[in-house]
Amino acid sequence: MSTQSAGLHHITSIASDPRENVRFYTRELGLRFVKKTVNFDDPGSYHLYFGDETGRPGSIMTFFPWPGVKAGRHGTGQAEEVGYAVPKASIGWWAERLGARGIAFEGPTRRFEESVLLLKDPDGHFVEIVGTDWAGAVAGWAGGEVPAEHAVRGFSGVTLWLSEAAATARVLTEALGFAEVGSDNGRRRFAAGAGDLGTVVDLREVGGYPAGKLGAGIVHHIAFRASDDAAQAEMAEQARRLVSQVTPQVDRNYFRSVYFREPGGVLFEIATDDPGFAVDEPVAHLGEALKLPPQYEPHRAKIEAALPELGQP
Ligand code: ZN
């Protein structure tokens, strides 16, 4: 392998109501609200980050909540099911919890020797609770709505819906450090290492299915980890051989990113592990205050006044 990657860094999606979004991901899934900031390209709307205790790469689910945005459409050329890893022994506990809270789900089903519960968030995103062999060895966050032993540890992985998987598979294996490790019921599995957060990407060829459409309930992009700028540059160089365009590096305050659209249609990002979410507030207080990048600080009062209340996570 010419590049090093450790899998997924974060996943970013479109939501409609920010309050419902915060409620579901903190109270129902039990994730930590690790950063409250604005969309750096549109400071009139939030960018909300959820994750484990520190928001480490492989655990970070982020949303652009746009009140009133139209629902998107599930389909090809998109990242669809987002899997959240819990210990295999916790799947029964989760099934009971979801049932008791009136949240509809399917499963558990077996896939690659894992147990999977499938549900939807308030905007219609496909959410999977995945019982894995390795999650029990990773500490769960003890400060959330879900007891630490059953808590979501981070991503198990993500599933892309594609009309044709071959070109996407090449990007994963030749630029992003993944290897194909198996297939199950029409699903090809790619892994970047094993036994850790976010190391799995599944490709599902769903030819004949209509193309997806961005909107509420649809993933906007998925980001892969780079240990530092040099690793990112190397991965971007490999990607340039396979895709038409890779952007210059953009500073996102909590990481530095480059973006490209992979041949199957999904927007990919490569994000650095550093500096992380403790760069502008201590870990003990992550997510409590609205954080703004320096260029927007002079306009804080106006920005705050225009943003909707989020309620109590
Ligand atoms: Zn991103």
Side-chain angles (χ1 to χ4, degrees), residues 10 12 47 62 221 223 255 257 259 269:
H10 66 270
T12 295
H47 193 177
T62 99
H221 65 268
F255 39 85
S257 301
Y259 302 84
E269 172 181 348

Side-chain angles (χ1 to χ4, degrees), residues 13-102:
S13 282
I14 310 298
S16 53
D17 179 352
R19 291 179 65 111
E20 269 299 283
N21 183 249
V22 171
R23 184 193 62 76
F24 181 85
Y25 284 89
T26 59
R27 299 189 71 99
E28 304 297 356
L29 281 195
L31 305 186
R32 187 173 189 194
F33 187 28
V34 293
K35 193 64 65 182
K36 175 163 62 169
T37 185
V38 294
N39 183 335
F40 288 8
D41 300 319
D42 168 23
S45 64
Y46 280 118
H47 193 177
L48 308 178
Y49 290 72
F50 306 94
D52 70 358
E53 183 173 8
T54 60
R56 73 173 162 130
S59 79
I60 311 156
M61 185 68 213
T62 99
F63 290 91
F64 296 130
W66 293 328
V69 69
K70 282 170 66 173
R73 184 175 67 209
H74 295 294
T76 58
Q78 291 182 159
E80 288 288 357
E81 299 94 337
V82 176
Y84 295 89
V86 302
K88 195 170 259 181
S90 295
I91 281 293
W93 184 90
W94 272 94
E96 253 182 50
R97 172 184 167 86
L98 295 170
R101 298 175 75 88

